[in-house]
Amino acid sequence: MAKYVFVTGGVVSGLGKGITASSLALLLKSRGYKVFMQKFDPYINVDPGTMSPFQHGEVYVTADGSETDLDLGHYERFIDEELNYTSNITTGKVYSSVLEKERRGDYLGATVQIVPHITNEIKNKVYEAGITSNADIVITEIGGTIGDIESQAFIEALRQIRNEKGKENTFFVHATLVPFIYGSDELKTKPTQHSVIELRGMGIQPDMIVTRSPIVLDEHLKSKIALYCSIPTENIIDSVDVKNIYQIPINYYKQGADAIILKQFGMKVTKANLKEWEKLIDVTDHLEKEIEIALVGKYVELHDAYLSVAESLRHAGYKYHTKININWIDSEELENDVDLKKVFKNSKGIIVPGGFGERGIEGMIKAITYARENNIPYLGICLGMQLAVIEFARNVCHIAEANSTEFNSLCPEPIIDLMSDQKNIINMGGTLRLGNYDCKVKKGTLAYDDYKTETIKERHRHRYEFNNKYKDILKEHGMVFSGINEASNLVEIIEVPKHKHFIGCQFHPEFKSRPTKCHPLFDSFIKSSLK
Ligand code: GLN
């Protein structure tokens, strides 16, 4: 049976609870235990797939095609384990399945209530993650802050799990803020004390408190929190601000955080193997070069909207001991009369990531023309691939009206068109082409150079596809279709070999890049940009 660690947050949101959960998971994995991660999001959307990136940041897609919270990206990048549909549970998901059961008559005449029906459903989601993952330890992060109305049913479910499974199978981590007050120049523990009182009011006594603060907590402050919160001093883990987030697991390790959890579980405190991680910190702390990469998109004001893409660029940078400076460019602004030479003056590579809808499209196309004509390395992801094809059709093949039916449903030259199995879909949620699909990589291409294998699997999230009717004419003008999904004859990768480095993919490689193992497409893109 799996053991369960729950990570709640107090005082303020945005404390880095996701990184805390991921760091603990990484440490437990480094000791040889199989870990799995899960996040509860108390909002009513069934998943973040239908939310604007401005609301929620990026939608992270797992291999099985679940559209999830961006924290799952942190989880996968830290623990390098594939997560799935059991890993992101929202209030919307919980209520949907309870209501479905109610309509089916499964509750046999009962009055359906938050306790026990909603809480049972939540508990089942926790246990399901444990059973299906076959993990030794499941770490569940609870989104939001203690005291939020939204998360109450989740907290109540966790209280019941502790009651059912006991202290030897459950562990509560509460992450809080310890602010520094200027003037008196001291750290303040009162908000933490109050947050723990709030948590206790809901029946949960934390086993560990992780304190986020701008300076290290001294022993006196730790014992003060320990006293007021009824926790051993050594179970107060200091999470001081760091420049490099990869340092955090090591900081927790030095304080024995993971060993404390294992001891409570009665599990062996085996030796941790953190060699790879320490090597990573050494690299990230000593980057020798710098390079600017332009990222052209329409959600650039919120960098979180492109979190995995930015991370993937950085991962590839690590391989070449290079710091990546992202030149965030609002595609809509390129639609005005701007001097592209100026905009891209220092950018050694241009990337157009995924996106939806018509706004800013022509600006992205302008950026692609600039990359192609000036031999600047280009990487197009999903929408960025579709637009690269449209740009090529318009400006190289002289198909002036080339477009996607996403932006003009009546367009006479639909180079990008709705996939046939998407034509009758009415519901927007969860109906894109999602998750892993196979791709056959053509030998002798840039893509093959990158992957060094003919069969790959990548994660998808799109509704439109390349229209095969235009394949021949694009080929005649020099475009190479280097990756195909054979089962449905869908174009997955395109490239222009005449160019220094011009490649686009229909899938999202950014979801598979890891800090210690950068993705081949980002690897070669950065390598070419450095040349
Ligand atoms: N909007 C495009 C589509 O639906 C591209 C999607 C994306 O970039 N994720 O096919």
Side-chain angles (χ1 to χ4, degrees), residues 1-7 28 36-38 40 122-142 158 161-162 164-173 207 261 264-265 267:
M1 194 196 78
K3 312 261 184 187
Y4 297 97
V5 176
F6 301 109
V7 180
L28 293 165
F36 191 74
M37 296 189 75
Q38 182 183 49
F40 287 156
I122 296 171
K123 286 193 287 183
N124 288 341
K125 302 278 185 206
V126 173
Y127 297 143
E128 185 185 12
I131 293 162
T132 55
S133 67
N134 212 2
D136 301 310
I137 300 166
V138 176
I139 301 193
T140 302
E141 175 192 351
I142 293 81
L158 303 190
I161 291 179
R162 159 62 62 94
E164 279 166 26
K165 303 283 177 194
K167 224 180 151 168
E168 62 285 9
N169 293 306
T170 54
F171 193 100
F172 283 93
V173 178
D207 300 300
I261 296 174
Q264 179 164 321
F265 286 160
M267 293 165 93

Side-chain angles (χ1 to χ4, degrees), residues 353-357 381-384 386 406-407 432 461-465 506 508:
F356 292 82
I381 296 178
C382 204
L383 179 68
Q386 297 176 354
E406 181 178 5
F407 319 128
L432 294 151
R461 182 170 187 254
H462 65 119
R463 216 180 281 285
Y464 294 80
E465 62 169 320
Q506 186 58 78
H508 292 270

Side-chain angles (χ1 to χ4, degrees), residues 44-324:
I44 295 171
N45 303 61
V46 171
D47 61 43
T50 52
M51 283 189 213
S52 156
F54 284 128
Q55 283 280 318
H56 194 270
E58 132 188 310
V59 173
Y60 189 79
V61 181
T62 50
D64 68 346
S66 304
E67 298 175 274
T68 72
D69 184 74
L70 51 70
D71 266 323
L72 271 81
H74 290 309
Y75 301 170
E76 285 205 356
R77 286 188 282 272
F78 269 63
I79 64 173
D80 196 18
E81 295 284 338
E82 272 189 2
L83 303 175
N84 59 35
Y85 72 99
T86 64
S87 292
N88 196 190
I89 305 302
T90 65
T91 296
K93 269 206 181 95
V94 172
Y95 273 78
S96 300
S97 64
V98 168
L99 290 175
E100 212 175 281
K101 287 179 188 165
E102 187 276 333
R103 291 289 80 183
R104 261 200 325 253
D106 288 5
Y107 295 116
L108 305 174
T111 304
V112 181
Q113 294 178 297
I114 292 185
V115 182
H117 301 96
I118 295 294
T119 46
N120 280 351
E121 195 68 31
I122 296 171
K123 286 193 287 183
N124 288 341
K125 302 278 185 206
V126 173
Y127 297 143
E128 185 185 12
I131 293 162
T132 55
S133 67
N134 212 2
D136 301 310
I137 300 166
V138 176
I139 301 193
T140 302
E141 175 192 351
I142 293 81
T145 308
I146 289 304
D148 294 348
I149 292 174
E150 269 101 355
S151 55
Q152 282 183 3
F154 288 99
I155 304 295
E156 166 60 15
L158 303 190
R159 184 193 67 77
Q160 294 177 20
I161 291 179
R162 159 62 62 94
N163 196 41
E164 279 166 26
K165 303 283 177 194
K167 224 180 151 168
E168 62 285 9
N169 293 306
T170 54
F171 193 100
F172 283 93
V173 178
H174 190 51
T176 70
L177 178 74
V178 176
F180 183 84
I181 303 297
Y182 288 95
S184 60
D185 285 352
E186 52 180 356
L187 292 169
K188 287 294 187 187
T189 65
K190 191 75 84 192
T192 297
Q193 296 173 36
H194 279 277
S195 179
V196 171
I197 289 171
E198 183 103 36
L199 195 56
R200 281 205 202 124
M202 302 173 86
I204 289 173
Q205 164 64 42
D207 300 300
M208 175 181 284
I209 294 177
V210 174
T211 55
R212 172 82 186 264
S213 63
I215 54 170
V216 174
L217 258 69
D218 60 26
E219 281 310 303
H220 159 72
L221 278 183
K222 278 192 173 181
S223 44
K224 192 167 166 192
I225 296 175
L227 174 70
Y228 281 97
C229 301
S230 320
I231 289 182
T233 313
E234 59 272 22
N235 291 24
I236 314 289
I237 303 297
D238 176 279
S239 191
V240 69
D241 292 351
V242 284
K243 271 209 210 86
N244 182 348
I245 56 165
Y246 302 124
Q247 185 64 47
I248 294 172
I250 304 293
N251 290 356
Y252 292 1
Y253 173 73
K254 286 182 184 150
Q255 299 173 72
D258 52 328
I260 292 168
I261 296 174
L262 289 174
K263 278 182 202 149
Q264 179 164 321
F265 286 160
M267 293 165 93
K268 214 170 145 204
V269 183
T270 45
K271 203 170 166 300
N273 178 359
L274 290 164
K275 267 194 216 115
E276 215 187 358
W277 206 258
E278 274 160 353
K279 219 165 75 193
L280 172 71
I281 296 169
D282 190 47
V283 170
T284 52
D285 276 346
H286 302 99
L287 297 174
E288 295 151 9
K289 291 171 271 181
E290 277 185 54
I291 190 179
E292 181 184 291
I293 299 292
L295 187 153
V296 185
K298 67 172 181 182
Y299 319 110
V300 291
E301 293 115 272
L302 183 73
H303 294 180
D304 269 0
Y306 303 106
L307 183 63
S308 293
V309 173
E311 283 297 310
S312 304
L313 288 169
R314 288 182 198 118
H315 300 164
Y318 301 152
K319 179 163 174 193
Y320 298 99
H321 298 266
T322 301
K323 179 169 179 255
I324 309 288

